[in-house]
Amino acid sequence: MTMPTATPDLRYPIGRFALDGPITASTRQEWLDDIARAPAALRAAVQGLSAEQLDTPYRPGGWTVRQLVHHVPDSHLNAYVRCKLALTESEPTIKPYDEARWAELPDSRIVPIDISLAMLDALHVRWVALLRALTPAELERTVRYPEHGRTVTIDEMVGLYAWHGRHHVAHVTALREREGWKG
């Protein structure tokens, strides 16, 4: 079960991800529902923002809202591929990527956010369909994270990415609240 730790840290408005105890069917269902809702939640969070607001960092020293919106499908696409690798290979070692450098690439700075929102919509339809169809044994399949020196199950990835979507939506909604931006 995920129990976020409350913190005033603007980097973690809902707390850091933590996996506490065994993953139950009920917890997994909540996580899958969170993943399914993530595209609409992100779209609602950025609804009505101006170009200037989209180019505002969500925290001092952080990404702009635009970069953050492009980051979510980048990250979730990597997670989707990692799930497929776990299902088709024996404990594959995943290729890490430098998300901070990806966020600095031109597409993350200049492409309209509607492109990434549409990409996230489509990706989550496929990803959620895949995840909901998995057996308990398939959910226990693993990938190896070389940068952390450990393996992670698909079940654990489901929890992490359910948190990840809520985490970034909270970045935007917290910024809107701090700045007094209306929707």
Side-chain angles (χ1 to χ4, degrees):
M1 182 173 187
T2 303
M3 302 300 294
T5 307
T7 176
D9 187 340
L10 296 179
R11 293 173 301 167
Y12 298 98
I14 64 169
R16 291 178 182 262
F17 176 73
L19 187 61
D20 300 323
I23 300 168
T24 66
S26 174
T27 301
R28 182 181 310 109
Q29 184 61 47
E30 288 175 30
W31 290 343
L32 290 171
D33 291 346
D34 285 343
I35 291 172
R37 287 188 295 261
L42 184 58
R43 188 178 297 277
V46 299
Q47 179 75 32
L49 292 180
S50 68
E52 182 181 344
Q53 290 167 329
L54 289 171
D55 291 327
T56 301
Y58 75 88
R59 66 174 175 85
W63 292 335
T64 66
V65 173
R66 182 183 313 277
Q67 288 172 297
L68 185 145
V69 170
H70 291 308
H71 160 74
V72 175
D74 284 349
S75 175
H76 291 200
L77 181 59
N78 272 282
Y80 173 67
V81 169
R82 290 169 180 176
C83 288
K84 290 193 133 197
L85 289 170
L87 292 165
T88 59
E89 299 178 19
S90 179
E91 198 173 284
T93 298
I94 58 109
K95 168 88 172 78
Y97 72 102
D98 187 336
E99 64 184 33
R101 290 189 66 197
W102 281 38
E104 295 297 327
L105 293 173
D107 62 323
S108 294
R109 291 185 163 281
I110 61 174
V111 170
I113 63 168
D114 289 347
I115 302 301
S116 281
L117 292 170
M119 184 177 170
L120 193 64
D121 286 334
L123 172 61
H124 277 231
V125 168
R126 290 207 43 204
W127 193 20
V128 171
L130 172 67
L131 293 171
R132 289 191 195 279
L134 298 182
T135 66
E138 289 169 326
L139 289 162
E140 290 302 314
R141 294 194 53 106
T142 60
V143 294
R144 177 164 297 286
Y145 277 74
E147 71 271 31
H148 302 298
R150 66 184 194 96
T151 60
V152 175
T153 66
I154 292 174
D155 237 357
E156 291 169 310
M157 284 193 284
V158 170
L160 174 62
Y161 285 93
W163 169 86
H164 188 257
R166 292 189 322 269
H167 166 72
H168 285 307
V169 166
H171 283 140
V172 178
T173 57
L175 173 64
R176 287 185 86 129
E177 187 174 311
R178 287 192 313 274
E179 295 295 327
W181 297 341
K182 302 297 178 205

